[in-house]
Amino acid sequence: MTSRLLSTVLALGMCGAAGGTLVAGLVMPYVGGAGLAAKSAASTFTDLPAPLREEPLPEVTRLLDRNGHQIAQFYYQNRQSVPLSAVAPVMRQAIVAIEDARFYEHGGLDIKGTLRAFVTNTRAGGIRQGGSSISQQLVKNIMLNQAESEQERAQALVRSFRRKLDELRYALALERKYTKDQILERYLNIAYFGAGAFGVQAAAKRFFGVDAADLTLTQAATLAGAVRTPYDTDPSLGEEHQERLRARRDLVLGRMAELGVIGKDAARTAAAEPLALHLRPEPGGCAGSAHPFFCVYVEREVLTNPAFGYTRADRERRLQRGGLTIWTTIDPVAQRAAERAIAARVRPRDNQVASETMIEPGTGRIRAMAVSKRYGRNPHDRDLGPSTTYNLAADTAHGGGLGLQAGSTFKVFTLATALKQGMRFGDGFTIPGSYVPSYGYRDCSGRAVNDPNTVIHNAGGEGGGGPYSLEMGTWQSVNIFYMRLEREVGLCDVVQTAKSLGIRRADGAPLHEVPTFTLGANEMDPTTVAAAYAAIAARGRYCRPMAITAVVERDGTRTEIPPACVTALEPAVADAVSHVLTGVFTKGTMRGQSIGRPAAGKTGTNNGYTSAWFAGYTPGLASAVSVGDIRGSYRYPLTGVTIGGRYYGAVQGASLPGPIWVDSMRAALRGTPAYGFVPPDMARFGGGFTPGLKEALEKQRKKEKKKREAEREKHDDGDGASAQREGATDGATNGGEEASGSARTTPLAEGARTTPTAVRAALAPPRRSTSVTSTRNPPGATGARSVARGSSPHAPLRRGSGAAPATSGGTGWASLTHPRAGAKGSGHRPARAAPPTASGRRPAGAIPPAASRHRPARPRARESDRHPRGGRPAPRRDPREPAPAGGPRREARGAASGGKPGNRPSRSTGSAPPPGPPRTAPRLSGWMPRPRLCLPRREAGGDDGGAPSRTARAPPS
């Protein structure tokens, strides 16, 4: 009887106190208090407030690459809302069983459940069951979610009669607005489960690495048990917290069995299992991104772009809470190529740092952004180390540093300005060996900015004084040429061209409009430079670098972001610039480095080697690479440094940034079509002239020719081995084939840099196909020399190098072809092997196959050691003596017979004599052969109606 009376009193008290307040805290008179409480309750619950204004729950914002794979995420609360249908039924049953068993029976206030929870918790000495309904808990979480400050959060959690009353009234209002399933869905998405996981989907991922729809009974009971005290049962805090979580799980299982949701055997079996946690980290921000530097760029783009909010606080709130899906431009293939190319040459612990950005021409989409250091803080927050928090590939607005001086990459803007103003290919002028910018330079405000105290020199290995054409000055990156060219076209015009191509300083300050602007005096970042070069690749269409292509809201609304592009250069001017810059790879500072497809670019070596750059492009992709010391480029220049385990006396644009560019671009473009550039309009840009250039080139050729001859004389010891090596090399050069071990030769174009290997083909005058009169050689003769018809018999002789006499039927007649005859345009023709005879044997004395010609040469007998007729040794003569009368002086060199060393055609059939050791003459001390000169071509009297002919004469017997 007493128990029933107490229950009635408690029920009336709970109604007056808005349900959920502990009965032990209620001290009321038995009759009067109950009546007042009932009257107050009647007035309170008849006038319910409007349901709480529900702000969108904070959800995770995800960054995706161009293929749709997640690369990073941002969140204020790690949450991903899901519909109730995406939650496993056992999870719904578990949360209802432990938090509000009569959830589907009451209308928001469960007096019976509240009293039962009070009695149970009192007997247990702790919280065993929930005293508030799920609707009440949802209201409390909504109020907590709306709190913007710590003070508001504290008010939402304060234990007071007023808060509990408001909570109950709002819960009843929610029951009128939503169905039970809608309330449960909202509760499962807003509840905090611990370990940084908000909502059941994030908790399932965080605790077990599965979706909420795939939760098992044990996993569901674990998560349901974590809701009540998420901080005490946070499994990420250690074993003690995990034990508490396990106890809570077992409690949920027991409650589900008590309610008949599951069987007791199933509960016991599940309770015997371990927690089986698979805590998967869910890092937020760029520190956990696979591409952190690009992630920083995207984050800063959102925080600084008014399209994402009016104020920075609005933009940050949208990024952290908006649940956006941001599609980005990054290409995993290009990103991996850039990262690997940099890692192969620069290490994270090096003080020197390399950065690269790849941009797609015509759209501005950033395809890769890589830095040699790792992203993050160094141990003990040291400034130096393998990590950095600066996005060194971007400007300060996108998380970067102050940038590096761009060096000679800025010469491209002067080149474009000159072509735009009417300069033609081949136009140029003569420059001195040093230059002082003392006059002629005005910035865009009209103010004179001359610098008479500065002396400009050309960088080492990049050309000296003399006449230079526009192409030569670019290919050889001649500083003085471009300083004067900038003065001629106007400093302000060059600056305006650069600005139209998106050039701005990395620190955001105005460009320094100084005479050395064309030499790259402004600090830049690779992203800005790559975008400028991408505009040239796109035929003058400049596009602002973009990292985001689309934004999808949490409700599925998709917004596409188009490229922001303008026409910065005439397409014809851009084509002309590309035409000149392609020569950097074939005739300029990057000669010998290629990506296997048409490409254009420019090296950049800064004054004093404070930084080094390379920027270049193909029609489909542009890239810029910078290298500098992170401690300060001026205090620590790139001289005498070890980078990536390799020592550099001085880092130039072609020595480190260039190879990084080549490797990364080759890998990034692998498997894509190779397109060429649009040819320039030669009617507009062709036909230029540089006074004195032709004479300077001729003088340079002669100088190189003498140097080559001096090198030959120095290394020519007169033996047959030397002769055969010379023959192999000449055969490769004159015949168009490359001998094994010989240097590849390229005809020297006007304006090309001259090197001993590059000028070989250009030293001799071009020849057309030449008919050579065959003469009868004395039997046993093994070689021939060509002498210009009408020349003095005592003129120096030029050894035949590519052709050998071929005998036919033992007649002794040799059909000779001039070594340089036959090739169209260049006057070269590959030497071909004679076909085998009917018996399968190759004619004696014929040119062997390429494989035989490319074998290492063996010593051969000197021609002077063989008797011209019988093979008997000829009497030796000191070659320093005057030549005998009646014939040209013979040089002691082996003839290029084309057969195996030591063999020679026989007198009758041309067959080789029995094999035997080659006979060589002893070396004569102090003897040196005369220089071999290229004979001038005969301009008239050719057998083919204009083409000169030569007669191959056998040496006198």
Side-chain angles (χ1 to χ4, degrees), residues 14 61-62 86 119 131 151 176 234 336 418 592 610 710 741 757 809 890 892:
M14 290 299 297
T61 292
R62 301 186 303 141
V119 173
Q151 183 179 1
R176 291 184 177 183
D234 188 339
R336 185 164 50 250
T610 56
T757 56
R890 296 192 305 169

Side-chain angles (χ1 to χ4, degrees), residues 557-577:
T557 304
R558 184 185 181 96
T559 303
E560 299 288 343
I561 301 178
C565 304
V566 296
T567 300
L569 290 176
E570 296 179 60
V573 173
D575 296 338
V577 173

Side-chain angles (χ1 to χ4, degrees), residues 132 156 243 255 365 426 428 516 521-522 526 601 784 830 896 900 910 919 938:
S132 299
E243 288 299 325
R255 180 63 176 162
R365 293 171 179 169
T516 54
N522 284 275
K900 294 183 178 180
R919 292 171 292 181
R938 186 176 179 86

Side-chain angles (χ1 to χ4, degrees), residues 734-806:
N734 299 336
E737 298 180 9
E738 183 178 356
S740 176
S742 64
R744 185 181 299 275
T745 59
T746 304
L748 185 66
E750 185 179 30
R753 297 185 66 187
T754 55
T755 61
T757 56
V759 301
R760 179 184 295 273
L763 291 179
R767 296 176 173 82
R768 292 175 294 171
S769 178
T770 306
S771 299
V772 181
T773 304
S774 300
T775 59
R776 179 160 186 158
N777 290 340
T782 59
R785 301 177 185 84
S786 60
V787 181
R789 186 183 307 173
S791 62
S792 169
H794 296 283
L797 300 182
R798 180 169 176 266
R799 176 175 44 202
S801 55

